[in-house]
Amino acid sequence: MQTECRRCPLRKFPIFVKMTDREVDFMQSFKVGELKVDAGTTLMMEGSNSPQLYTPLRGMGLRYKTFESGERQVLNFVLPGDFIGLQAGVMHEMQHSVEATTHMTLCVFDRKALWTMFRDYPERAFDLTWLAAVEEHFLGESLAAVGHMDGLGRVARAFVRLHDRALAIDLVTKDGMHLPYKQQDLADALGLSLVHTNKTLKKLREREIAIWRDGQLKILSYPKLCAMAELSEAREPVLRPLI
């Protein structure tokens, strides 16, 4: 059965900004259904003009660009609560592709109703702008890391960011978190070679800081990982809007 917005399993997490009853009612009218897809399914294609927008309820994916050579550059990773398709909704054409890495359940929204949000629900429209800005910030931060951090620092920062996001939505257990990506995906996202990434992961294991194996990330020393990532262990989590 389709999940009602009032019973959305993500809304209970403190990381997401609370919505008013009026906003929840609008989101219910904005939502046109749910979609279940298998791993490897392309949700959005670069250059396409999709009539639908998505928010993952469950599962993970990734955003990437494809070069003329056929190679792809991973931009970032998609987790539950992210919003997919904003570029197509505003610019009428996706500038990158989005693919499901695992089985995913997605809330589906009608792109034609997007402008109703901007007209009648400015707070929700601001949330969309915030999400777009955060995505740009992530890419900018990644470029900055490529510019001044070594491989250990880049991988450590990626692991901290992914762990924090997963922890905020209850996806971290005593055994770690499910991180179903390939080493090549991480290497692409961080501007590293596959060989360098492999050696970096080995160093993290040997120093007993983090282990990423068989799609499972286990952080053994969060303080050491944060120090390596040049991030404060005591930083406050940033609240996120949920579309």
Side-chain angles (χ1 to χ4, degrees):
M1 292 180 62
Q2 179 174 308
T3 304
E4 295 181 8
C5 292
R6 289 190 178 279
R7 292 181 170 82
C8 174
L10 298 176
R11 289 184 61 217
K12 66 182 180 181
F13 297 117
I15 192 67
F16 294 115
V17 177
K18 300 296 183 184
M19 285 188 277
T20 65
D21 289 342
R22 181 171 178 267
E23 288 173 334
V24 174
D25 289 341
F26 169 74
M27 292 308 300
Q28 187 64 63
S29 66
F30 187 30
K31 180 175 177 177
V32 295
E34 286 183 8
L35 177 67
K36 296 181 185 295
V37 299
D38 294 325
T41 301
T42 299
L43 302 173
M44 294 276 183
M45 180 69 72
E46 185 175 349
S48 68
N49 184 9
S50 172
Q52 296 174 326
L53 311 169
Y54 305 104
T55 293
L57 276 176
R58 301 173 190 85
M60 298 183 184
L62 51 79
R63 293 181 170 94
Y64 66 92
K65 286 188 71 70
T66 304
F67 299 111
E68 291 184 3
S69 64
E71 296 181 346
R72 73 181 188 179
Q73 171 69 51
V74 174
L75 301 177
N76 58 28
F77 304 101
V78 177
L79 275 67
D82 287 344
F83 191 64
I84 303 172
L86 183 58
Q87 285 186 343
V90 176
M91 302 174 64
H92 305 294
E93 183 177 296
M94 287 294 293
Q95 304 299 305
H96 59 260
S97 300
V98 184
E99 179 182 289
T101 305
T102 68
H103 180 83
M104 297 182 77
T105 300
L106 305 114
C107 293
V108 182
F109 305 102
D110 184 358
R111 195 190 76 188
K112 291 185 299 221
L114 190 62
W115 300 114
T116 302
M117 180 188 297
F118 278 85
R119 184 189 66 206
D120 299 335
Y121 297 85
E123 296 87 357
R124 294 267 77 195
F126 176 82
D127 288 343
L128 277 179
T129 306
W130 189 94
L131 288 170
V134 166
E135 189 171 323
E136 290 295 327
H137 174 73
F138 180 92
L139 295 176
E141 184 181 71
S142 297
L143 289 173
V146 167
H148 88 278
M149 299 183 81
D150 61 14
L152 273 172
R154 295 185 214 175
V155 172
R157 181 164 289 221
F159 280 173
V160 169
R161 294 298 193 200
L162 289 166
H163 172 270
D164 288 355
R165 283 288 315 280
L167 184 65
I169 53 177
D170 203 23
L171 294 181
V172 178
T173 69
K174 61 181 179 62
D175 297 318
M177 65 169 287
H178 188 45
L179 194 63
Y181 302 104
K182 302 174 183 176
Q183 283 192 23
Q184 186 68 63
D185 296 331
L186 184 64
D188 287 347
L190 300 178
L192 299 171
S193 70
L194 182 59
V195 172
H196 195 169
T197 300
N198 188 273
K199 289 181 178 178
T200 300
L201 293 171
K202 182 179 179 181
K203 289 179 182 178
L204 290 173
R205 289 196 304 271
E206 291 173 345
R207 298 181 188 183
E208 298 184 341
I209 296 175
I211 299 174
W212 184 31
R213 182 181 293 143
D214 299 326
Q216 195 77 3
L217 172 63
K218 187 174 181 63
I219 295 178
L220 306 176
S221 176
Y222 186 74
K224 290 182 180 179
L225 193 68
C226 287
M228 191 173 287
E230 299 181 15
L231 293 169
S232 169
E233 183 188 353
R235 68 196 179 283
E236 291 293 323
V238 179
L239 296 181
R240 300 171 56 88
L242 180 63
I243 300 295

